[in-house]
Amino acid sequence: MEISKRLLPQSHLKEHPSDETKLGFGDILTDHIFKMDYYDGSWCQPRIEPLSPLCLSPAAMVLHYSQTIFEGLKCYRHPDGRLALFRPRDNFRRLNQSAERMAIPLVDEKFLLEALKELLRIEGGWTPSVPGSSLYIRPTIIATEPHLGVRPAKEYLLFIILGPVGAYYKGGFSPIKIYVESFYTRSAPGGLGAVKAGPSYAASLLATEKAARKGFSQLLWLDSVEHRYVEEVGSMNMFFVIDGKIVTSLLTGTVLPGVTRSSVLTVARDLGLEVEERLLDIKEITDAKDSGRLTEAFGSGTAAVISPVGTLCHDDVEFVVADGRVGPITQKLYDELVGIQYGHAPDTRGWIEFID
Ligand code: COI
């Protein structure tokens, strides 16, 4: 399929952020958007056009039944100026896994990657270069068909928007405070936890707000059946270092298979660290803390990459991990991963794709 283009004249382009060291997350969008429609049984009309508000019927099914999925990935500026995507194929594969679960028609992953690269050839200049910054990429699909009966929509819009970002958490790469949530849950067996669907994020908001009021930046979600097993931390995968081993939750169907999670596990194994993917009882974590065997904790995700956990609060008892500092294994994994993403370390695993 040919991608049509309608671009803004130079004089209408927005000004880029004047200070890249002050970038937040998710407030600034670039000038152009990629869009593609689905109707009459196929994806069609791929196009790049000026970013503008969407025109939707108030009966658009996404507004009523939340049939929407998204992805998040990043483009980094390497020291030689080249623009590098990190494992984009994995994100587009997961987009299709999400689409399948949400009864949304699948997309051609290869075509979508080409479309993204085409968009980046136009918008790549927005990619910041200061450490910790990148161009965040948000592919999204929404059900646009105006219809009020409950069934999968017959019409969709896929779009990709971009924006320069800095650290996801205000403090950057510094330890965060986590509240272990024992009542509200993020996902249930057979539910949406393993895919990136908008409704899962909406379901997390109230509990996260309540924890924020108590001074915690994120929640540690437990399983919804026994309220025992660690699942995710905020919108990240969760890791602990116990007895020197890196332990993370098993992908049981209620945990998102994070691209960063998989990268952390690979890098850790290649560094010769012992890694375990298994069920993790919160009691095991508190016991390991009490006996001094829990030495580090961190979350991983595209937005924050790796976020050290400094404090955990379970059943109203707060405890500090790694003296509230960044532990050595957390630091090492962060350095390795960020080194590859920003082109300071060799990409020996074929994770980087350059925009030519
Ligand atoms: C990620 O870091 O992978 C996320 O999903 C965060 C995003 C929802 C802002």
Side-chain angles (χ1 to χ4, degrees):
M1 267 189 297
E2 184 78 15
I3 302 173
S4 70
K5 292 188 198 91
R6 184 167 60 82
L7 304 184
L8 285 168
Q10 191 75 23
S11 56
H12 286 57
L13 298 178
K14 286 187 270 197
E15 267 188 38
H16 290 199
S18 55
D19 186 352
E20 289 184 352
T21 63
K22 295 214 166 66
L23 285 171
F25 186 93
D27 297 318
I28 304 171
L29 296 178
T30 70
D31 295 298
H32 296 94
I33 180 172
F34 170 80
K35 284 183 182 167
M36 186 159 80
D37 300 315
Y38 183 91
Y39 60 84
D40 279 349
S42 59
W43 287 105
C44 54
Q45 290 191 326
R47 57 202 185 274
I48 294 174
E49 58 185 42
L51 182 82
S52 66
L54 299 178
C55 180
L56 278 183
S57 162
M61 292 175 83
V62 64
L63 302 177
H64 302 268
Y65 309 124
S66 304
Q67 207 189 358
T68 174
I69 56 174
F70 69 94
E71 268 304 321
L73 63 159
K74 282 175 171 175
C75 176
Y76 300 89
R77 190 177 288 285
H78 277 200
D80 61 6
R82 284 192 296 172
L83 298 179
L85 290 166
F86 184 72
R87 305 188 71 174
R89 287 163 206 267
D90 296 86
N91 288 92
F92 287 132
R93 190 173 315 126
R94 192 173 59 186
L95 184 73
N96 263 342
Q97 288 162 359
S98 303
E100 190 175 12
R101 177 62 184 84
M102 292 291 280
I104 289 172
L106 302 190
V107 290
D108 178 338
E109 294 166 28
K110 279 204 184 112
F111 175 74
L112 213 49
L113 179 55
E114 279 320 305
L116 170 61
K117 288 183 177 174
E118 196 57 30
L119 182 63
L120 287 168
R121 282 182 201 110
I122 295 161
E123 300 288 75
W126 281 89
T127 312
S129 54
V130 303
S133 68
S134 58
L135 189 65
Y136 187 73
I137 300 163
R138 173 54 63 89
T140 306
I141 303 180
I142 58 171
T144 50
E145 187 194 354
H147 177 74
L148 294 182
V150 180
R151 57 156 172 76
K154 293 180 184 147
E155 293 166 17
Y156 297 86
L157 172 70
L158 180 156
F159 60 83
I160 304 178
I161 49 176
L162 312 168
V165 297
Y168 188 67
Y169 295 110
K170 274 203 175 72
F173 184 63
S174 55
I176 54 171
K177 283 181 76 174
I178 297 297
Y179 184 82
V180 182
E181 178 57 60
S182 330
F183 176 72
Y184 294 105
T185 57
R186 181 189 160 271
S187 91
L192 300 177
V195 300
K196 229 163 162 60
S200 300
Y201 294 79
S204 76
L205 299 177
L206 176 65
T208 309
E209 277 301 290
K210 285 187 172 181
R213 269 181 240 134
K214 294 183 191 156
F216 296 91
S217 43
Q218 282 297 337
L219 293 181
L220 183 69
W221 297 106
L222 301 180
D223 78 279
S224 60
V225 180
E226 298 187 62
H227 299 270
R228 259 174 81 178
Y229 297 108
V230 170
E231 299 219 314
E232 293 189 19
V233 57
S235 54
M236 298 183 288
N237 293 113
M238 184 73 211
F239 292 80
F240 296 95
V241 181
I242 304 173
D243 290 328
K245 288 182 211 155
I246 297 174
V247 193
T248 193
S249 314
L250 198 61
L251 300 179
T252 52
T254 50
V255 173
L256 192 80
V259 176
T260 314
R261 174 188 184 277
S262 135
S263 310
V264 166
L265 292 175
T266 303
V267 166
R269 286 193 181 104
D270 291 353
L271 286 169
L273 297 166
E274 232 183 294
V275 165
E276 287 178 357
E277 291 174 74
R278 61 173 170 84
L279 290 181
L280 252 174
D281 195 319
I282 188 66
K283 174 94 171 44
E284 177 188 346
I285 304 301
T286 50
D287 286 351
K289 169 64 196 162
D290 290 343
S291 57
R293 293 161 47 239
L294 172 70
T295 47
E296 298 180 43
F298 62 90
S300 81
T302 299
V305 188
I306 284 183
S307 192
V309 171
T311 306
L312 276 159
C313 179
H314 179 237
D315 284 346
D316 292 326
V317 179
E318 271 191 42
F319 60 90
V320 172
V321 186
D323 296 326
R325 292 200 278 267
V326 182
I329 292 180
T330 309
Q331 184 72 55
K332 179 81 188 148
L333 291 168
Y334 176 80
D335 291 343
E336 289 282 327
L337 220 51
V338 163
I340 299 165
Q341 291 171 335
Y342 286 89
H344 300 297
D347 169 34
T348 54
R349 303 174 188 87
W351 285 346
I352 294 291
E353 286 207 27
F354 289 106
I355 310 304
D356 44 44

